[in-house]
Amino acid sequence: MNNKWIIAAGTALALGLAGCNSGSSNRSNPEEPPAPAPELTPESISLSFLGRYSSGIFGQSAAEIPAFDPINRQIFVVNAQNGAIDVLDASDLSNPSLIQTLTMETIAPGAVVNSVAYRDGLLAVAVEAANKTDNGYAVLVDTNDLSILDHTQVGAQPDMLTFTPDGRYLLVANEGEPSDDYSVDPEGSVSVIELDGQQIVSVRTAGFQAFNDQKQALIDQGVRIFGPNASVAQDLEPEYIAVSADSLTAWVALQENNALAKLDIASATITDVLPLGYKDHGLDGNGIDASDTDGVIDIRTWPGVVGMYHPDSIAAYSVDGATYIVTANEGDARAWGETNQAYWDGDASQGFVEEIRLKHLVHRSGFARRVGDDMPPHLHALAAGALLNPEVFGYCGASAGEPGDCREDDLLGRLTVSWVDGYRKDASGNPVMFDSNGNPDPAGDRIMYDQIYAFGARSFSIWDENANLIWDSADQFEQFLASDECRTGALRDTPCRDYFNSNHSAGDSFDNRSDNKGPEPEGVAIGKLGEKTYAFIGLERMGGVIVYDISSPQAPHFVDYLNTREDWVSDPQTNLANVGDLGAEGLVFVAANDSPNGEPLLIIGNEVSGTTAIYQIDQLFAD
């Protein structure tokens, strides 16, 4: 069926078309929700805007990760601006309101909240220590009276947590990021917390120390392990967790490492580290817009350029007994010490930054010209300059010793890339050196890039249990945002292409993010409606939520897109009350049986606008 049946947001679909659901007529009385509709399978779905709560705080992550309590009709939202949880009354979905703010100061002075998860009257809270490299905490809160029931120490920087489907375990991803100067680098880990009702029974740590002696093998397989003086356990940084339906296995996103870890839950053991590989932007259908200054939409293929999937949020679902992993391929660079001028002046002990514009990486004059500006001292210590392989990049003008037009702003020059990967190495992993004219020379001072690594894949992907790629959305996100079909705003009245790849923190910023990670897919939630499974992917920069039917993992298809940013021109910081929603971060799906109005919902935390938005998932049923 044609999906152009979408109607203006704020108007409920007449679901009675199928004679099955009359729930939308009861929205005006949230105290008496309609009886749950039968579990029917929709022909299609669309999103419509219901309401939002605004913290009134711009650009300080005042709304990040949401969780929903169907019993008390509460939304819990991580407010990173004050390191706490905003508790919202969601009885009136059109006007959610703040009940109170819940802090974790009684757990540890200066502690801040990173994430939340809900199950059966329990709110699990990930709490980071005041010094982020110290061990953090997992806390259980009674959602009826918001009292703390129990807590335990976990690893450094607990960043995300989730209950297993059977409710027996709480799993915590301890990211273990380094200090800003990289002088302290905690080990990443996953805490496996066994629960008995509302109490913690035991805590075990699934770490990566067993992989320390496999460092080179992991690197050879494609796992990015590159922190200065870091062991494998220190370098791997768990970001997000997805769990199989049988509660036996979990997959952990290792974002900066471009890999997934596989966790046996019962034994609290990491059984494997699975590289995700790289997306070839030289292949038809995998194009990107690589320039933010050319003033046009220019999605094209770039041979020699690959994208690092670098998933942020991940989720799992089952089809015919097999588990599949859905990833939002955001991309994320290691950039520590970037605000410390001593680092840029050449003191490598003050941090580690892996990102650089291609035009500054491959310049005939070498690296010295950028010292004190944006030249990472670790790169400068590696060589005096860098070249492009003319056999790969000849199509944009590279020749022996010369980058040619490849570094021009309207080609690849503006693209933000990683200098860590792609240069030629010998069998021992050492750089192969060249002279400034591109001739191999052991006494030379240049390195040569055979491949360029960009951050993120500007897509979402589906993987099997062993991280084999089943399907990727290729360049569909950017192509859709550039199309005449795409409209933004709650009323879908603004052409997306007019603000293609805009930044979430600025007005009138057409094409601003093309040189970086494009629309930057970050959050993902999965919802099942009848026999169909849908993926809801939040786009951090362009904003909004894009929906795919993923019922067939091998053949997902686009369903809808809703972006409730309303003002694309004025400065959002000075027009916050009217700008709408900026910077989709975390998403949670609410089933119809749990919803205050009897309709399935999607709740989105928008970190830049500091707003928590509520979308209704409108279902269209066949006659």
Side-chain angles (χ1 to χ4, degrees):
M1 177 168 293
N2 193 319
N3 66 0
K4 296 182 181 295
W5 57 271
I6 296 170
I7 61 173
T11 304
L13 280 177
L15 298 184
L17 285 173
C20 300
N21 191 340
S22 59
S24 58
S25 64
N26 292 308
R27 284 190 198 168
S28 61
N29 188 0
E31 297 303 321
E32 297 181 8
E39 190 68 8
L40 301 177
T41 300
E43 184 89 358
S44 190
I45 63 172
S46 73
L47 301 176
S48 59
F49 175 74
L50 289 183
R52 73 168 59 88
Y53 165 75
S54 178
S55 67
I57 299 170
F58 172 81
Q60 298 185 50
S61 299
E64 286 192 334
I65 307 300
F68 180 70
D69 169 12
I71 299 172
N72 299 292
R73 297 180 181 179
Q74 297 176 134
I75 300 172
F76 300 94
V77 186
V78 173
N79 184 331
Q81 187 267 339
N82 59 15
I85 303 166
D86 286 340
V87 186
L88 309 181
D89 180 358
S91 297
D92 181 357
L93 296 173
S94 66
N95 189 32
S97 58
L98 181 66
I99 300 172
Q100 71 176 81
T101 296
L102 182 63
T103 71
M104 292 290 126
E105 284 291 329
T106 59
I107 300 299
V112 297
V113 175
N114 279 344
S115 191
V116 290
Y118 173 87
R119 179 184 172 90
D120 294 341
L122 281 180
L123 183 72
V125 185
V127 179
E128 181 180 306
N131 180 0
K132 74 170 186 176
T133 58
D134 292 342
N135 285 340
Y137 302 87
V139 182
L140 297 180
V141 174
D142 187 330
T143 56
N144 292 308
D145 58 12
L146 303 183
S147 63
I148 293 176
L149 297 168
D150 206 350
H151 72 280
T152 185
Q153 192 172 78
V154 292
Q157 200 185 22
D159 193 45
M160 181 270 179
L161 74 180
T162 186
F163 293 96
T164 56
D166 63 6
R168 183 178 176 184
Y169 296 101
L170 176 67
L171 307 179
V172 187
N174 304 307
E175 187 167 10
E177 288 181 343
S179 58
D180 200 49
D181 63 0
Y182 235 116
S183 63
V184 180
D185 188 4
E187 293 184 354
S189 64
V190 179
S191 294
V192 179
I193 302 172
E194 187 172 359
L195 304 174
D196 182 5
Q198 297 183 327
Q199 300 299 314
I200 294 171
V201 174
S202 66
V203 183
R204 293 171 294 163
T205 300
F208 295 93
Q209 291 182 355
F211 295 89
N212 281 343
D213 61 357
Q214 301 177 39
K215 184 173 183 177
Q216 190 56 53
L218 290 170
I219 292 173
D220 292 343
Q221 292 166 25
V223 180
R224 301 186 75 231
I225 302 173
F226 59 95
N229 305 313
S231 67
V232 172
Q234 289 174 307
D235 204 75
L236 299 182
E237 297 182 0
E239 185 88 20
Y240 219 90
I241 303 172
V243 188
S244 62
D246 60 13
S247 300
L248 297 178
T249 308
W251 291 263
V252 185
L254 307 173
Q255 185 171 23
E256 291 85 353
N257 311 106
N258 198 42
L260 299 178
K262 201 169 185 178
L263 170 69
D264 179 76
I265 297 172
S267 66
T269 304
I270 303 294
T271 60
D272 210 348
V273 177
L274 307 167
L276 295 177
Y278 301 95
K279 183 170 180 174
D280 188 349
H281 290 307
L283 297 179
D284 289 344
N286 279 353
I288 59 172
D289 188 323
S291 174
D292 63 334
T293 61
D294 57 1
V296 297
I297 299 172
D298 183 17
I299 304 168
R300 63 164 110 166
T301 54
W302 299 98
V305 178
V306 298
M308 299 176 282
Y309 289 97
H310 275 184
D312 188 324
S313 299
I314 65 175
Y317 74 114
S318 298
V319 178
D320 296 331
T323 300
Y324 295 91
I325 316 302
V326 180
T327 63
N329 303 321
E330 178 199 21
D332 195 17
R334 281 186 170 151
W336 305 110
E338 60 182 340
T339 61
N340 184 350
Q341 189 57 43
Y343 175 76
W344 297 115
D345 288 341
D347 187 351
S349 71
Q350 297 294 308
F352 183 87
V353 176
E354 68 162 313
E355 58 185 350
I356 191 170
R357 288 197 193 277
L358 183 133
K359 65 189 290 185
H360 299 153
L361 177 65
V362 291
H363 190 283
R364 178 69 178 175
S365 299
F367 297 151
R369 51 186 268 283
R370 305 297 302 185
V371 172
D373 188 352
D374 61 358
M375 178 52 56
H378 294 90
L379 172 59
H380 197 199
L382 189 66
L387 311 169
L388 287 176
N389 184 344
E391 294 182 8
V392 178
F393 295 96
Y395 71 92
C396 57
S399 59
E402 295 287 350
D405 291 338
C406 300
R407 63 179 303 275
E408 293 300 315
D409 285 355
D410 60 346
L411 295 176
L412 288 172
R414 298 283 298 174
L415 186 64
T416 302
V417 302
S418 174
W419 62 262
V420 170
D421 301 292
Y423 60 85
R424 194 176 306 176
K425 299 178 183 179
D426 61 23
S428 299
N430 299 311
V432 175
M433 304 308 295
F434 294 79
D435 65 23
S436 60
N437 293 315
N439 301 306
D441 183 355
D445 61 1
R446 296 295 198 268
I447 53 177
M448 178 174 286
Y449 282 85
D450 299 317
Q451 205 163 45
I452 294 297
Y453 286 69
F455 294 100
R458 311 190 186 195
S459 65
F460 86 100
S461 301
I462 299 177
W463 315 80
D464 71 11
E465 298 179 17
N466 295 310
N468 297 304
L469 183 62
I470 302 301
W471 185 88
D472 181 75
S473 62
D475 63 3
Q476 291 180 22
F477 285 3
E478 282 190 300
Q479 294 287 4
F480 174 72
L481 295 170
S483 72
D484 292 334
E485 180 184 358
C486 185
R487 294 287 187 274
T488 76
L491 298 178
R492 304 175 188 258
D493 53 2
T494 301
C496 301
R497 63 178 298 117
D498 290 353
Y499 302 99
F500 174 81
N501 278 355
S502 285
N503 200 339
H504 54 20
S505 60
D508 200 11
S509 54
F510 170 84
D511 213 21
N512 179 275
R513 297 299 298 177
S514 291
D515 61 318
N516 203 305
K517 295 175 277 188
E520 207 162 321
E522 177 165 10
V524 61
I526 289 178
K528 188 160 188 179
L529 298 170
E531 297 301 316
K532 290 185 177 181
T533 303
Y534 293 91
F536 304 88
I537 301 103
L539 305 183
E540 183 180 7
R541 297 292 175 162
M542 184 71 181
V545 177
I546 196 161
V547 186
Y548 275 71
D549 183 337
I550 59 170
S551 304
S552 170
Q554 295 79 16
H557 62 270
F558 170 84
V559 176
D560 194 24
Y561 172 67
L562 181 63
N563 185 343
T564 47
R565 178 173 181 172
E566 303 298 341
D567 186 333
W568 293 81
V569 178
S570 60
D571 181 354
Q573 187 167 4
T574 59
N575 192 36
L576 188 58
N578 301 311
V579 76
D581 302 302
L582 308 174
E585 176 83 3
L587 299 84
V588 61
F589 171 82
V590 179
N593 290 352
D594 292 329
S595 168
N597 72 349
E599 308 288 355
L601 307 172
L602 195 67
I603 301 171
I604 306 104
N606 298 281
E607 62 171 342
V608 174
S609 56
T611 55
T612 303
I614 303 174
Y615 293 175
Q616 180 166 293
I617 302 169
D618 297 319
Q619 301 179 78
L620 179 69
F621 296 98
D623 292 330

